[in-house]
Amino acid sequence: MKIIFFTKGDRRLPSSRTRAFLISDYLKKTLGVDSDVYHIKTRAWWDISRARFLENYRNLKILWHLNKEDVVVLQRTVHQVDFMVLILLRRFLFGRGYAFDFDDAIFLEKGSSNTKTSLIIKYADVVLAGSEFLKNYALKYNLNSHVFTTVIDTENIFKPDLNKTDLVEVVIGWTGTPVHYNNMLLLVEPLKRLIADGLSIRLLLVGGGEEIPKIFRNIKDLNLTVISVPPTSGMWTEPREIVRYIQNFDIGVYPLEKTEWNKGKDVYKAKEFMACGVPIVVSDWGENPRLIKEGVNGFLADGSDEWYQKLKSLITDKKLRTQVAANGRSFMENDCSFKVFVPKLLDLLNKK
């Protein structure tokens, strides 16, 4: 059996990287399963460029040469209409099915996203949803829908730094892209209160563009470190680069506004932190409560006061940080790792 992933983005897009490229790498290198990944570029319907025709020819050629036992996985590829038509024609004319995978509430996007998403889900052999919220949406159109959380390669990539040395300051860390601007606003008041308490902390932002750091530069006496990472940086294609920064965190944070879009989000950032042995505080929203056991492998915060209280508990209690970090790492190895979940993925794809 060969597994072919068609993805919305290249390795720089987090969902494509984590739910297709890295899994394909693991299938080939660790399990010996033949696998490839192909990026489906989103183009305007009026685009009649040579590049578009060449890509369509490539896709047709790839699909034509697959055997019956080979598996096609569509990772969020609902926006390129001609590719959707090709996939659906392949299904209706030749009985060749596909799996559909998504980890964001793409049906909430503007335009015809809901129509296209529901259509591709309806005719899929199996649907892999990144959260319970997404699974419940998919079940309206396809009963063979399952939660398949984004998992972590705890063997080869995401590991604690066993030689980490303690600093005077406690480092609160976050990684991400500029789209999280409104989410990061949730940290402003808690950080002001923590600094007013005289606690020695540093905020380390990895990524986030130019605007997110501005939120925190106005907080008096906050020690702020910004690792500026442009979209073209190899850090977004090679996760070992981001791990080097995460390993410097003493506490990882994952704030989320209470929006429908965030309700569908996977808890991937938190998983990266936990796998690297970093205790976490996350918003009590969406998929987060399904992952976090309060006070055991992390903390849930709802509102400014809880963010302040949970962060303060970890900042002032090193023993608590150590214990929560160890529990988080153990949870990732046993419940959210490639070695546990990729074989389950193969079972789902085989039973489609």
Side-chain angles (χ1 to χ4, degrees), residues 10-14 17-18 21-22 25 29 153 156-158 206 229 231-246 268 272:
D10 58 20
R11 279 185 181 260
R12 290 172 294 180
L13 186 69
R17 181 175 67 251
T18 57
F21 284 94
L22 292 180
D25 292 344
K29 297 176 183 177
D153 188 346
N156 305 306
I157 301 175
F158 293 93
V206 183
V229 186
T232 55
S233 171
M235 183 181 294
W236 303 124
T237 60
E238 176 45 70
R240 288 175 179 81
E241 292 295 313
I242 206 78
V243 165
R244 292 192 300 110
Y245 292 105
I246 295 174
Y268 189 71
E272 288 182 320

Side-chain angles (χ1 to χ4, degrees), residues 71-314:
V71 177
V72 170
V73 181
L74 311 182
Q75 208 290 309
R76 286 184 64 172
T77 50
V78 297
H79 297 294
Q80 181 60 293
V81 176
D82 41 0
F83 180 71
M84 280 185 61
V85 170
L86 180 61
I87 287 293
L88 292 174
L89 283 175
R90 180 176 182 264
R91 175 168 181 76
F92 297 142
L93 296 179
F94 304 104
R96 300 292 183 89
Y98 59 90
F100 181 67
D101 172 82
F102 69 130
D103 64 330
D104 273 323
I106 53 178
F107 48 88
L108 296 177
E109 294 173 346
K110 295 179 180 180
S112 59
S113 293
N114 182 48
T115 300
K116 290 185 288 188
T117 303
S118 61
L119 181 66
I120 209 75
I121 285 175
K122 180 179 180 179
Y123 293 107
D125 291 325
V126 60
V127 179
L128 308 172
S131 70
E132 190 72 19
F133 176 68
L134 301 181
K135 184 194 80 171
N136 290 336
Y137 169 83
L139 283 172
K140 293 187 293 184
Y141 307 101
N142 191 320
L143 293 179
N144 195 18
S145 298
H146 309 267
V147 172
F148 188 81
T149 187
T150 305
V151 289
I152 296 285
D153 188 346
T154 57
E155 298 171 88
N156 305 306
I157 301 175
F158 293 93
K159 302 177 183 179
D161 180 3
L162 300 179
N163 299 313
K164 181 180 177 180
T165 57
D166 292 331
L167 303 175
V168 175
E169 295 176 311
V170 172
V171 178
I172 298 174
W174 174 87
T175 70
T177 61
V179 299
H180 288 277
Y181 182 90
N182 288 335
N183 295 327
M184 294 299 283
L185 291 172
L186 298 175
L187 296 179
V188 172
E189 291 305 316
L191 288 173
K192 286 181 178 178
R193 291 178 64 183
L194 292 168
I195 292 168
D197 288 344
L199 297 174
S200 182
I201 59 176
R202 176 178 295 276
L203 180 63
L204 174 55
L205 303 177
V206 183
E210 297 180 358
E211 296 303 315
I212 287 179
K214 292 179 182 178
I215 299 172
F216 303 102
R217 288 198 175 106
N218 295 325
I219 300 179
K220 186 179 180 182
D221 297 327
L222 173 65
N223 291 323
L224 176 66
T225 299
V226 178
I227 307 298
S228 180
V229 186
T232 55
S233 171
M235 183 181 294
W236 303 124
T237 60
E238 176 45 70
R240 288 175 179 81
E241 292 295 313
I242 206 78
V243 165
R244 292 192 300 110
Y245 292 105
I246 295 174
Q247 288 173 337
N248 291 321
F249 297 175
D250 294 305
I251 302 168
V253 291
Y254 183 47
L256 287 177
E257 279 192 303
K258 290 185 176 181
T259 66
E260 287 294 290
W261 178 266
N262 283 341
K263 189 184 290 186
K265 290 193 71 64
D266 199 305
V267 200
Y268 189 71
K269 285 190 207 312
K271 292 173 186 173
E272 288 182 320
F273 302 159
M274 295 164 78
C276 290
V278 176
I280 58 171
V281 183
V282 303
S283 287
D284 189 3
W285 183 248
E287 196 70 6
N288 291 354
R290 292 174 54 84
L291 179 81
I292 303 304
K293 296 179 180 178
E294 178 67 18
V296 178
N297 62 0
F299 288 93
L300 296 163
D302 185 9
S304 178
D305 189 61
E306 285 196 6
W307 272 100
Y308 164 74
Q309 295 292 346
K310 304 294 174 70
L311 285 172
K312 186 172 184 179
S313 295
L314 285 170

